[in-house]
Structure formats: structure tokens, C-alpha cells
Amino acid sequence: MSHTESTPHRSATGSIIFYKQHRNKFLFHATNTILEIKVLNDKIFKIRYSQDRDFEPDFSYATNNAHTAALGFLNFEENEEFYIIYTNFIHCFIKKSDLKISFFNTEKEIILDETDGYSFEENKEFGGYNVYCGKKIQEEEVFFGLGDKPTELNLKGRRFTNWCSDIPAFQKDQDPLYKSIPFYSGLHHGIAYGIFFDNTFKTYFDFGLNESSTTCFWSEGGEMSYYFIYGPELIEVTAQYTLLTGAPQLPPLWSLGYQQCKWSYFPDSKVEEIANSFRSHQIPCDSISLDIDYMDKYKCFTWHPEYFPNPKELIDSLKNKGFKTVVIIDPGIKIEKGYEIYDEGKASDYFCKRADGPLMKGTVWPGSCNFPDFTDPSVRVWWGHLFREFIELGIEGFWNDMNEPAVFETGTFPLDVRHIYEGMLCSHRKAHNVYGMLMARSTFEGLKTLRPNERKLVISRAGYSGTQRYGAVWTGDNMSTWEHLWIANIQCQRLASSGISFCGSDVGGFIGEPNGELFARWIQMSIFHPFLRAHATSEYGDKEPWVYGEAYIKIIKKAIELRYQLLPYIYSAFWQYVNQGLPILRTLVMLDQKNYETYYRIEEFAIGNHLLTCPIRNEGALGRRLYLPQGDWYYYYNDVLYEGRKEYWIETNIECNPLFVRAGAVIPFYPVQQHVGEKEINSIQLHIYYNKNEQPINSLLFEDDFKSYNYENGVYCLRNFTTQLVQKEYQFKQEISGTYPTTIIEFEIKLHGFPNVKSIKTNEVTTKFSKETNTYTFNMPSNISSFKIELA
Ligand code: MIG
């Protein structure tokens, strides 16, 4: 263990000598340190320390400096012992004698306190400092976040490293993996807060492993610069962090369909065959991905002359069948004179260099390669333009792989590699963790320049805080085992808690051959993950839904069909994510954080606010124990009502995973389609679930053209539904906003769990309804503002 892997030897700050205030910014000068506190809004504080007179330039690849809410109220005071900053929600105490910071809420309850606080150690080898901060662990505190760690949700008692790494066939508890998301949230006494340590160097987080009373985080360089985010709701902490690091864009709706992938489908006739099989089996699918073998000798932006002699023809033919084409792109550029991309990159000095000047050279798929420096804005513009031909061919998705960056001989770049870093030149020590995100960014920005009003899909394997702005991520090279099904569940929940909701795993496992049961269970879980794609390595058999035999084909098809029915619900959850930063996948503890029972229940999760599932993850299991959070929940398949805050044994079969719907919810359903846009949908189903408690429940339905950026200018149709029982009357209300001319003319309404219905009335006009096995059905015009259900 090097000295930096253990918590560093440290120097303390000394006591405060004087302070300065400039509006919402405070500078506290202590003997050995300057502390800067910037109050961004009522709930977010940015905290930085410096040893030298000047701070580093206030720059971050993660934050977009558009803060989530305005600062309402700010007050400042001092007494003998402390300086105190007050906002509407936070009282922040800074101790004069040692610069330690503590946060209280307005009820004077402790939110976060420091043990050893800030300290530093000069880094003699590289210059600068290793910086450290130690916070106190409160009684019964639990910790969440940190991106893709394949570990129990609660991070307490563990230590982690953030350093983007390509780890094929990774194991449970393996650390680090592909992504570096230095953000966590803490929860104690029902109060939640978050810490975002915005430092791109290798960072470490220790949640009470080294010292049971302390959570600490430190880095091998850069500044101690972090954000404190107050909830008190856990979900709100994630939402605020997400907006701070950049609200994502709405994905094109097709990218929420089922996607099929393989390393690799070739030649072109094989791709056609796969597409045809989906349609002949009538299994919905929206895209096929081309892995590295579509390229000529693995050279980026080329086509294999024999396997894909006529890409346009293939892409058009797929398009006619309702499939989008997705292609993989790696960062390594083959060193080969006459290869246009290489020649251009070389001539324009776009490739990364070693310390003393030679180009960074490393072997990846094409052989010996150079690597674009995505921290250079002009390189990003160049890279972005390279997609022009792909776009003209009609490719809709771009899959960024190997961007940790991965290199065969050395794992990643040697640390002396230099980067432009927006003109603030640095070594790979500082740029490593953002390299992958910036590759995704230049792809995303390039596509947006080429097609300003068309949403494309960008997928990335590596990531840093803020990656959500550019598209989806997947969890990398997992394996076809039951344990990896569990891991995928945890990783996706954790990513969503860390601001990255558009995530998914390689369904069925990348390495290995699942049996039909494992694949079926995996897809039954993954239809609730925002990014839904099956994938397989080259060495093993295919992972298309039909390879598992007739019995399983039916089961897999049924799961994918449910996904397509739920698209309007999932898309509406995306709207909440884009608009408010709310995670699409929600952990059980997010749904019921005052209830300790939820702190260690980690397999149950919600998608959006109203659906809750829990994967079956044992071979042969036909049921499982699970815990329901507060509220009443209907079992989706038979409308049996379960009371929350209890554990149940839920009997299932191989046909489906447990699925529950919140009482009071309104769930929109599409008809099954073979791909998004197959049908013109003028009527959608609204499933309304009876809530016996007399409190209103909100649901929403978001609709737009599903493919352009017009929604940014209000061109959408947002329906807010409220249902409420008022004595013997069940009320339904709808409020519509936005300027998109809806294509939905009619609602087909289904009532679930209702006691005897006497009549259904809109302004005293009654509507006919039918009843079948306790479900009432009737139609309503889609612009209805309210109706009442009279109960017997
Ligand atoms: O060295 O492109 O995670 O999804 O199929 C392996 C081949 C490179 C790793 C990706 C995987 C992809 C594979 N890639």
C-alpha cells in the first residue's frame, strides 16, 4: 500500500486570523490555509481550501454553473467560538480555532460535522498537495452513491478508489471499475445530505473502515473542493446533485426500446437475418448494434470492405424494418500513414503526448495507436465532425467503448501523458478520470452540431460526474451468472442514485452462456432499467431471445412487450429526471427514509414513483421475500392489495418478476408495438389504482414528438393527473400544459381495486362502463379535466 492509499500524513490548518465576505462568498484566512465558502443556494454550499495565496482557476468539467435554485436568504454572524452562515435551511458553523465546519438544519439538528476536518500533505513528487477531509459518522448513519461500485448499496465500513478502469469479467466488490463518480449521500435520523468531491485526480473514500467514527475522502492532487448538498430527502439530494452536474437531455424514445447487440454481428447478411428474426418472432426490438468488426481492421470511422461493402443499403433496409443502427467507436486511432483520420490528427497535433514529447502510443484493437486528447476543445470539435458520414448514412446511436482509456499493455495511459485540459496543461493523473466523459461529450456535441434538432443516442462505458448530460451508460463486461444479475441490479440503482439514471447492464451477461431461466430473469429485471440491451462476447453463443427454446421465447417476449406497454410511463419518468433531476430508479430507502427497515433492503427498487419491482435472482426460485415501503401497493398481476412497511413472501412463476403498483397511481399504457413508431397511437390506456386513503396522489404523462429538442421550448404535452377519494366519491383531475398538439384523442380507462362502482360522471353526465373480473373499463376524451367515480 503506497502512502496515498492509506490516509495521508497530514498538516492541520491552524486557526482563523481574519475573514472577508463578498456577497455569497466567504474567505477565512487561517495560519496555514484559506477556506472559501460559497453559498450557491439555500441548500448547496461549495467549499474549497487552499494552501497557497491563490486558489486554482474555478473550473470544473462536472458542473455547468447553472445552479438549481436561487439563494433565498443569507445571514452571517460571529460569536466567540464560531462564524455562522445562515440560509433558509442551513446553519453552517465555522470554528475559529481549527476551521472545522458543521451543518445544522433550522430545527438545530446536526446534519454533518467534522472529526479531523481538512488537512493536507505536500506532494514532493509531483508538486501540489494531497488533500484530505474527515467527517463524523453519526449514529446509525448509512451511505450511498459512488457510481458503479458492485458492492452492497450501503457503503459503510468500506473504502473505495475512483480511477476509471477497464476490468473485463469483474467480480462482486471489485474496485475501481469503469466510472469515477466522487459523490455520496449520507442518511441518519431521517436526515439526508450529499457530498460531491469535485476532484478529477485519483480519489479515495473511506466510510468508517480506517476509523469507525470517520468518513473521509482524499485525493492525490488538486484541491479540496467539494459541495455540501442538504436534502433532507435522500431523493432530493440526488436530484440537486444531478442538476448541479448537469441535467440530462431527453433520449429519443426508440432508445428506450429493446436493443440487441453482439460482438459482433457480421457480415451484413447476418445483421439482416437478426433483424428479420425479431420480426418473424414478433419480439419487439428497436436497434441492432455493430461492434468492432464492422470496421476495416478496427480503424475508427471505416467500414470493412467485405463484411459491409454497402453500409447505406444495410442501414436503409434496417430502417425500413423499424430498426435503428448503432455503431461502436473506440478512442484509439491506428498509426498508419494514408489513413485519413490518423493523418489529420497527426498533422493538427490532436494526439496525446508523453512527458518529453513523443506521442502517446499504445496497443488496442487496431494495433499500435495514438489517442485524441479530448481535453482539448479543438480536438473535440474535430472528433465531433468525424460523425458526419455516419449521420448521413442514417446511423442513430454511437457507442463509446474503451474510453477509461483502456490500453492493452499498460491498462491505461502512463501517468506522465500530457493533456491540454482547456489550456490548463496537466498530466494524465489529473485528466484520466474525465477522458471517457469528454469523449462522450465530443460525440454528443458533434452530433448536435451536425443535426441540431435531432436527438441521437450516445452510450459511454467510462464516466465522471456529469456524464449524464451526454447520454446513456452501461456497466461493462459482466458475466452470465446469477451473482451478476444481483450485481447489475445494485449497480443500476447506485448509478441512478449518483445522477446517472440512463443506465443498464449487458442483459444475460457479456461473458458466458446463460441458460434460458437466467436470461429470462435478467430481462424481467432489465425491462425496468432505463437502458435495455442484450449483449454477448465473441467467444460464446448468441444472446438473442430465441436461442433459449420455445418455452423461454414466450416468456422473454412477454417481458419485452410489457416494456413497450410501459414506454409512456418510463418516458414520463425521464421527463422528471430531465426537468427536476429526479432519479428514474429509486432505492427502497429513497421511498421511505424514516423507516430503518429500508436501510438494508437493497434488491427492491422503484422505477419512477409508482412501480416497484424486485428481481428473482436464484435459479429455480418461484417466489421470494421482499419488503414493501410505506403506502399501499397492488400486485400488478392480480390486483391483490398489500400494505406497506411489511415483509412478504411473494409467490411468482417463471413468467414474471414481482411487480407492484402504488395505490392511487395512474399508469399510462401503450399498445404493444414491434418498435417505437410502428403504430400511430391515438388512444392509450390509463390504469387507475384505487387508494382507500383520502390523500391525493399525483401521476404524470409526458408526450412530445419523441425525437427533437422542441420540448426545450415548451413544445410538449404534460398531463398532471390527481386522484383522490373524497367520502363516497373517487375524483380524477387532469391539468394539461405545454404547446405540443397531442396525438392522443382518447383514454381507455381501467379501474383496479375499486369497490362497487355505482356511476361515472363528468359534470353530471354519466359514462357507460363495463366490468370484468373486478376491472371497470370506460372511455374518456383525452382532454377531460375531471370526472367522478361514485362508489356504492
Ligand atoms: O476489449 O468491442 O465492454 O461491450 O463488445 C473488449 C468489443 C472491447 C469491450 C466492451 C464490450 C465490447 C468489446 N469491448
Side-chain angles (χ1 to χ4, degrees), residues 551-614:
Y552 284 106
I553 297 179
K554 261 179 47 199
I555 292 165
I556 294 163
K557 177 174 146 101
K558 202 171 142 190
I560 298 177
E561 286 178 348
L562 178 57
R563 166 74 169 211
Y564 276 74
Q565 290 177 298
L566 285 172
L567 280 176
Y569 174 79
I570 296 170
Y571 192 64
S572 302
F574 257 97
W575 167 249
Q576 287 189 296
Y577 176 45
V578 168
N579 191 45
Q580 293 164 262
L582 288 167
I584 296 173
L585 302 179
R586 302 175 186 184
T587 58
L588 207 60
V589 60
M590 274 184 185
L591 302 180
D592 196 0
Q593 72 180 41
K594 293 232 156 82
N595 171 9
Y596 282 89
E597 279 291 320
T598 62
Y599 287 23
Y600 302 90
R601 309 271 185 167
I602 63 175
E603 294 180 54
E604 302 86 343
F605 67 93
I607 177 164
N609 201 29
H610 295 331
L611 294 179
L612 187 140
T613 184
C614 188

Side-chain angles (χ1 to χ4, degrees), residues 4 85 119 127 174 342 420 435 438 470 531 577 605 700 780:
T4 41
I85 302 170
S119 60
Q174 183 123 25
Y342 168 75
I420 297 292
Y435 188 87
L438 294 175
Y470 311 119
F531 181 68
Y577 176 45
F605 67 93
L700 63 136
M780 280 285 166

